[in-house]
């Protein structure tokens, strides 16, 4: 690109993005990225791309992540040089660990200025370790085909902007063929369970049905509705059934429960992981086989094996029907219908895991399980809702909401989805009550270093951003959720953290019965 004028680089780049079926781009303002801003604005005016402008790059990154997750399309996020780039790091890490197709497109000063005191100049190439770098525009189709995120750092010399005319209407899309891997054939014989984590392979549902394999499907696996899916799967795993397992098939990225993680660290059990070492949830021993897809050899399915798992799960599901702490999760799941449900980390996704019905159609569930951060959830949810179009609900804890509340910093003419954000406000980190640090021995230090109450007014915060807010009782939530908002709406439900540890022990106890 040496010597090429910035506006011409921007023209080639936007043309190349359109050829990759890019439909949305996120932009944060700056001077160095000016040529890209004007080119994308023109493409937006010409109806070829939807541009989303965000002042805060950290939120811009998560917005792109949400858009890319929901649409499955490459989503670029464009920043100026300097600390602006570093603010993309959390979203890029999440994208790396959950293989989301997003592109950090970062404007840079010419390389000759690095190592000098030139304004807003730092070492941008390689700033996201582990994320592949693209070094030329023609490499774009290859990077998209590889999947996952990548970083394109472009040096722009002056003149940054010039009054050129942009016409992208001649750009054409090239349809990408999905890459299908090798099928790994297995015998039906051993008593097998399927562990389906985040973003699991949907084709496993049919294989499991044919083989009568129970599936322990996390909410964001996409396999909850499969005909062999076990209710409260992670709790059933705490029962004696675990001792009878002879083989495990793992698909997606399971992260929600320690019993599952412990199962996958066993070295005396054959495990087939549909993925590679980088997606296996732990250190893979010699007992782990890696495969792209799974298929069956001949054999007779063991219906009794499946039945014992399904019955155990149904019994636990029934026992939890009256659990008051789960009212919010239940209302949210029901209201989401066949729409989109975005779940924050911490208790909310685990609550949904306990109440979400199995073996019937449900919403499409998205969650940031690559690194399970509580950051960026508001923007992730907004991006996912923008990429999904239909009914969209997000559920998250108060700290998760507050951590990412700058996601509500949206200009008045930017596209907004119709999205209900339900905040389960227990004033602090409720999950820690259920972990080791919630034990009575640490009670004196708990509130300050784990509980971390904030007393922040979510209502005032929403008001500052001009976002509708309503404080609702848990029991009245279902009624409020029946109404689809125009734009973004926050429903805050206040609950107590106190009962969390007790609920946890009730739930674990159910497996033993
Ligand atoms: C970015 C980030 N920082 C810290 C954590 C550790 N962490 C996990 S859950 C949690 C508390 C979450 O609180 P809240 O969102 O209110 O949910 P609750 O546990 O109360 O349901 C924290 C701090 C994390 N996962 N991600
Ligand atoms: Mg909380």
């Amino acid at each position: 690109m040496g010597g090429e004028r910035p506006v011409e680089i921007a023209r080639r780049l936007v043309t190349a993005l359109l050829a990759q079926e890019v439909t949305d781009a996120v932009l944060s303002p700056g001077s160095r990225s000016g040529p890209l801003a004007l080119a994308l604005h023109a493409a937006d005016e010409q109806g070829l791309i939807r541009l989303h402008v965000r002042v805060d790059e950290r939120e811009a990154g998560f917005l792109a992540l949400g858009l890319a997750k929901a649409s499955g399309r490459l989503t670029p996020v464009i920043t100026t040089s300097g600390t602006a780039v570093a603010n993309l790091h959390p979203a890029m890490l999440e994208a790396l660990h959950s293989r989301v197709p997003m592109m950090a497109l970062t404007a840079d000063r010419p390389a000759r200025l690095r190592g000098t005191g030139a304004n807003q100049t730092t070492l941008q190439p390689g700033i996201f370790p582990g994320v592949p770098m693209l070094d030329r525009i023609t490499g774009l189709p290859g990077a998209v085909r590889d999947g996952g995120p990548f970083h394109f750092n472009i040096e722009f010399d002056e003149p940054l902007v010039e009054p050129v005319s942009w016409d992208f209407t001649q750009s054409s899309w090239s349809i990408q063929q999905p890459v299908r891997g090798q099928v790994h054939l297995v015998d039906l014989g051993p008593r097998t369970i399927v562990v389906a984590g985040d973003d699991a392979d949907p084709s496993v549902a049919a294989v499991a049905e044919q083989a009568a394999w129970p599936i322990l499907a996390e909410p964001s696996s996409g396999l909850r509705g499969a005909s062999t899916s076990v209710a409260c799967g992670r709790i059933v795993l705490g029962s004696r059934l675990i001792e009878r397992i002879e083989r495990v098939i793992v698909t997606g990225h399971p992260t929600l429960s320690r019993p599952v993680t412990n199962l996958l660290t066993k070295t005396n059990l054959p495990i087939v992981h549909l993925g590679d070492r980088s997606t296996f949830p732990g250190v893979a021993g010699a007992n782990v086989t890696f495969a792209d897809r799974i298929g069956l050899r001949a054999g007779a399915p063991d219906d009794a094996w499946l039945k014992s798992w399904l019955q155990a799960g149904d019994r636990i599901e029934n026992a939890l029907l009256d659990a008051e702490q789960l009212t919010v999760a239940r209302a949210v799941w029901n209201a989401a219908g066949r729409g989109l449900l975005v779940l924050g980390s911490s208790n909310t996704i685990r609550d949904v895991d306990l109440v979400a019905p199995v073996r019937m159609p449900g919403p499409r569930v998205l969650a940031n399980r690559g690194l399970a951060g509580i950051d960026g959830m508001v923007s992730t949810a907004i991006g996912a809702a923008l990429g999904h179009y239909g009914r969209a609900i997000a559920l998250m804890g108060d700290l998760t909401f507050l951590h990412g509340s700058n996601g509500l910093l949206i200009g008045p003419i930017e596209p907004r989805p119709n999205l209900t954000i339900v905040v389960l406000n227990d004033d602090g980190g409720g999950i820690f009550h259920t972990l080791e640090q919630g034990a009575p021995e640490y009670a004196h230090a708990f509130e300050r270093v784990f509980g971390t109450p904030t007393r922040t007014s979510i209502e005032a915060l929403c008001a500052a951003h001009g976002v509708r807010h309503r404080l609702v009782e848990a029991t009245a939530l279902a009624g409020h959720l029946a109404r689809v908002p125009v734009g973004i709406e926050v429903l805050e439900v206040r609950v107590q953290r106190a009962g969390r540890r007790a609920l946890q022990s009730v739930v674990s106890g159910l497996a033993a019965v």
Side-chain angles (χ1 to χ4, degrees):
M1 285 183 285
E4 194 178 1
R5 285 152 58 215
V7 285
E8 291 311 323
I9 299 172
R11 188 194 305 279
R12 277 205 298 131
L13 185 58
V14 171
T15 304
L17 288 173
L18 291 170
Q20 291 305 310
E21 304 181 27
V22 167
T23 56
D24 292 84
V26 183
L27 169 81
S28 292
S31 162
R32 196 56 44 170
S33 51
L36 292 169
L38 290 179
L40 287 166
H41 183 260
D44 177 290
E45 280 189 327
Q46 289 161 26
L48 298 171
I49 216 165
R50 214 170 29 152
L51 183 63
H52 310 268
V53 180
R54 293 293 186 277
V55 172
D56 179 334
E57 287 82 3
R58 187 170 73 163
E59 298 310 315
F62 280 107
L63 186 77
L65 181 88
L67 277 159
K69 277 175 93 106
S71 68
R73 293 176 190 276
L74 175 70
T75 308
V77 52
I78 295 96
T79 74
T80 193
S81 64
T83 56
V85 180
N87 274 289
L88 296 181
H89 206 162
M92 290 305 282
L93 278 186
E94 175 59 31
L96 178 65
H97 289 267
S98 49
R99 291 190 65 75
V100 176
M102 66 180 274
M103 172 189 193
L105 184 45
T106 58
D108 201 353
R109 309 273 159 144
R112 64 175 186 277
L113 296 177
R114 286 186 200 133
T116 74
N119 183 35
Q120 261 179 266
T121 308
T122 184
L123 199 59
Q124 293 181 195
I127 198 168
F128 312 120
V131 173
M133 297 274 307
L134 186 69
D135 58 4
R136 64 209 140 76
I137 295 173
T138 49
L140 195 61
V144 173
R145 220 173 299 123
D146 289 346
F150 55 95
H151 178 197
F152 192 27
N153 189 65
I154 322 177
E155 295 165 28
F156 284 136
D157 216 336
E158 273 104 61
L160 291 172
V161 292
E162 296 174 74
V164 293
S165 76
W166 310 94
D167 181 6
F168 295 109
T169 51
Q170 300 306 311
S171 305
S172 63
W173 278 5
S174 68
I175 303 299
Q176 295 274 332
Q177 291 301 323
V179 185
R180 305 232 64 182
Q182 288 283 316
V183 178
H184 178 80
L185 292 176
V186 297
D187 289 325
L188 267 166
R191 284 192 297 269
T192 303
I193 64 157
V194 176
V195 170
D198 184 60
D199 199 19
D201 176 352
S203 73
V204 174
V207 179
E209 176 171 279
Q210 203 186 335
W213 291 338
I215 306 179
L216 312 187
E218 292 189 355
S220 61
S221 64
L223 292 186
R224 200 89 191 173
S227 64
T228 64
S229 188
V230 180
C232 303
R234 71 172 208 259
I235 313 301
V236 182
L237 204 54
S239 76
R240 306 208 53 176
L241 278 172
I242 191 172
E243 294 159 17
R244 302 182 52 213
I245 298 173
E246 291 174 337
R247 179 176 58 194
V248 183
I249 313 281
V250 188
T251 172
H253 184 220
T255 53
L256 283 193
S257 83
R258 290 194 190 170
V260 168
T261 313
N262 293 343
L263 178 72
L264 300 181
T265 53
K266 283 186 192 265
T267 52
N268 57 350
L269 200 63
I271 297 177
V272 180
H273 175 56
L274 305 187
D276 57 26
R277 241 166 240 287
S278 72
T279 58
F280 188 74
V283 181
N287 58 322
V288 180
T289 310
F290 297 98
D292 296 316
R293 287 194 296 146
I294 198 143
L296 297 173
R297 291 207 189 91
D302 183 349
D303 291 324
W305 171 243
L306 172 62
K307 206 167 155 196
S308 50
W309 282 83
L310 297 187
Q311 281 178 345
D314 291 351
R315 185 179 51 75
I316 295 171
E317 186 181 42
N318 279 328
L320 288 174
L321 281 179
D322 300 328
E324 221 179 283
Q325 286 103 328
L326 302 175
T327 310
V328 168
R330 202 171 273 119
V332 166
W333 180 274
N334 291 338
R338 303 289 301 273
L340 173 74
L341 178 57
V342 183
L343 296 174
S345 298
S346 205
N347 279 331
T348 48
I349 190 166
R350 291 177 174 81
D351 288 355
V352 168
D353 191 31
L354 293 178
V355 300
V358 288
R359 308 192 291 277
M360 58 173 74
R364 177 173 185 207
V365 180
L366 296 178
N368 285 343
R369 300 309 301 172
L371 289 177
I374 62 163
D375 45 350
M377 269 326 289
V378 173
S379 289
T380 302
I382 292 173
L386 282 164
H388 171 82
Y389 294 91
R391 175 72 167 127
I393 302 179
L395 172 65
M396 63 191 78
D398 51 301
L399 295 185
T400 303
F401 177 82
L402 294 169
H403 201 303
S405 69
N406 242 18
L408 300 179
L409 185 62
I410 308 172
I413 61 168
E414 296 308 313
R416 277 171 197 247
N418 297 335
L419 168 71
T420 308
I421 302 177
V422 178
V423 182
L424 188 72
N425 184 4
D426 57 4
D427 198 22
I431 195 163
F432 297 121
H433 290 273
T434 69
L435 304 176
E436 302 88 320
Q437 50 267 64
E441 299 91 289
Y442 315 111
H444 68 290
F446 187 89
E447 274 305 286
R448 181 147 183 231
V449 298
F450 299 117
T452 60
T454 64
R455 313 261 156 84
T456 302
S457 164
I458 290 174
E459 182 174 7
L461 195 54
C462 289
H465 288 292
V467 168
R468 261 187 319 278
H469 167 277
R470 225 181 256 266
L471 188 62
V472 299
E473 294 292 327
T475 46
L477 181 62
H480 286 281
L481 284 171
R483 203 176 50 82
V484 179
V486 177
I488 301 166
E489 169 187 68
V490 171
L491 300 181
E492 176 186 353
V493 185
R494 292 202 189 139
V495 294
Q496 299 295 319
R497 273 191 269 131
R500 270 288 165 190
R501 202 167 171 83
L503 174 69
Q504 171 82 358
S505 44
V506 168
V507 170
S508 324
L510 287 171
V513 181

